[in-house]
């Protein structure tokens, strides 16, 4: 639907209807103009017997320069944040359709197998991954040795501990890790596909399958 504006409508009326304010540059110029006008008035009305000291005048000019510098810095920082947000959005869009690992406790087994992962806060001599069914009964246990800290992925071919083929479906994964006699903090990671990108007020979010929305930094691995 289009809207026609008559020639008699002023720019101020349009801006008011759209809820917009005057350009920032004009506001800055008005502020600097008011400052200069104030300084000029002080000089014009100063006591000839007690004129304004050079140091005082220099101080006021320095204040104006500082205010102007802060405004310019704010603009520069804002432009940096805008560019960063735009770049983050482009990077996120490139992930649509890609498989990723995010923090989660499930693994989906299909006829082709299942992909899972884990994250370690430190180096581990031994990492044990236990897969359980919906009843909480252990189905498969996988052991990895000499694993560095960070995120890691693994593949489960669907074979159970008794040698049979586990049924396709959703299973629960738990992870434990040790280094010598000490426990290493470990978290299980879940595999899913990025389906869309959502641009919100606080940044860019990724819709990861039916797991929900995740920040770009929440992605532990891209597969």
């Amino acid at each position: 639907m289009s809207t026609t504006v008559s020639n008699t409508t002023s720019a101020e009326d349009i801006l008011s209807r759209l809820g917009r304010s005057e350009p920032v540059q004009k506001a800055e110029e008005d502020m600097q103009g008011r400052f200069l006008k104030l300084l000029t008035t002080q000089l014009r009305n100063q006591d000839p017997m007690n004129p304004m000291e050079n140091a005082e005048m220099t101080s006021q000019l320095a204040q104006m320069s500082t205010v102007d510098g802060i405004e310019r810095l704010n603009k520069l920082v804002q432009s940096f944040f805008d560019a960063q947000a735009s770049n983050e959005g482009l990077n996120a869009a490139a992930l649509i359709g890609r498989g990723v690992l995010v923090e989660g406790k499930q693994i989906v087994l299909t006829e082709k197998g299942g992909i899972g992962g884990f994250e370690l806060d430190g180096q581990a001599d031994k990492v044990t991954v236990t897969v359980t069914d919906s009843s909480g009964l252990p189905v498969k246990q996988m052991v990895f040795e000499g694993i560095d800290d960070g995120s890691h992925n693994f593949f489960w071919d669907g074979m159970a501990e008794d040698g049979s083929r586990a049924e396709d479906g959703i299973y629960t994964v738990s992870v434990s890790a040790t280094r010598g006699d000490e426990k290493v903090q470990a978290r299980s990671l879940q595999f899913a596909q990025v389906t869309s990108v959502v641009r919100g007020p606080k940044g860019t979010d990724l819709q990861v399958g039916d797991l929900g929305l995740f920040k770009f930094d929440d992605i532990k691995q891209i597969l």
Side-chain angles (χ1 to χ4, degrees):
M1 182 178 66
S2 62
T3 301
T4 303
V5 180
S6 65
N7 294 332
T8 59
T9 304
S10 66
E12 289 79 10
D13 292 335
I14 298 175
L15 289 174
S16 176
R17 256 201 320 269
L18 295 178
R20 295 169 54 186
S21 60
E22 290 294 321
V24 177
Q25 182 178 359
K26 187 176 186 300
E28 292 177 1
E29 291 174 353
D30 289 345
M31 181 181 64
Q32 294 177 8
R34 288 195 300 269
F35 195 97
L36 288 174
K37 184 177 180 180
L38 177 61
L39 181 60
T40 302
T41 302
Q42 287 179 330
L43 291 173
R44 185 184 301 116
N45 299 322
Q46 66 180 335
D47 185 355
M49 304 302 296
N50 185 26
M52 182 182 295
E53 296 289 340
N54 290 337
E56 185 178 356
M57 184 184 303
T58 302
S59 175
Q60 294 197 29
L61 291 173
Q63 290 178 28
M64 183 179 69
S65 178
T66 300
V67 171
D68 181 65
I70 291 175
E71 292 295 335
R72 293 177 184 274
L73 179 60
N74 288 339
K75 279 187 175 181
L76 182 62
V77 171
Q78 186 60 48
S79 64
F80 171 77
F81 283 139
D82 291 343
Q84 187 178 37
S86 177
N87 186 56
E88 184 182 63
L90 290 174
N91 290 336
L95 292 180
I96 295 179
R98 296 288 300 273
V100 296
L101 288 177
V102 296
E103 195 165 333
K105 298 182 178 181
Q106 294 182 334
I107 184 171
V108 179
L109 179 64
T110 67
E111 60 180 10
K112 296 182 179 180
I115 298 174
F118 55 85
E119 185 179 36
L120 304 177
D121 287 348
Q123 187 178 24
D125 298 330
K126 181 180 179 182
V127 178
T128 303
V129 176
T130 303
V131 180
T132 58
D133 60 18
S134 58
S135 301
L137 298 176
V139 176
K140 179 69 174 180
Q141 192 172 79
M142 291 170 276
V143 177
F144 306 92
E145 297 181 345
I147 306 299
D148 293 330
D149 60 335
S151 60
H152 305 270
N153 62 76
F154 63 83
F155 175 76
W156 178 33
D157 59 7
M159 299 304 295
E161 286 296 315
D162 60 5
S164 64
R165 180 63 165 75
E167 295 183 0
D168 294 348
I170 300 175
Y171 294 81
T172 301
V173 175
S174 60
V175 183
S176 63
T178 56
R179 183 178 183 182
D181 296 330
E182 298 181 355
K183 181 179 179 180
V184 177
Q185 289 295 323
R187 291 168 294 280
S188 59
L189 303 178
Q190 188 168 343
F191 174 82
Q193 190 178 53
V194 178
T195 54
S196 64
V197 174
V198 180
R199 187 72 178 270
K202 295 184 179 180
T204 303
D205 296 327
L206 298 170
Q207 178 69 44
V208 181
D210 58 359
L211 301 182
L213 294 175
F214 292 83
K215 294 295 183 184
F216 195 82
D217 292 341
D218 293 330
I219 304 300
K220 305 300 182 180
Q221 272 195 19
I222 302 172
L223 303 177

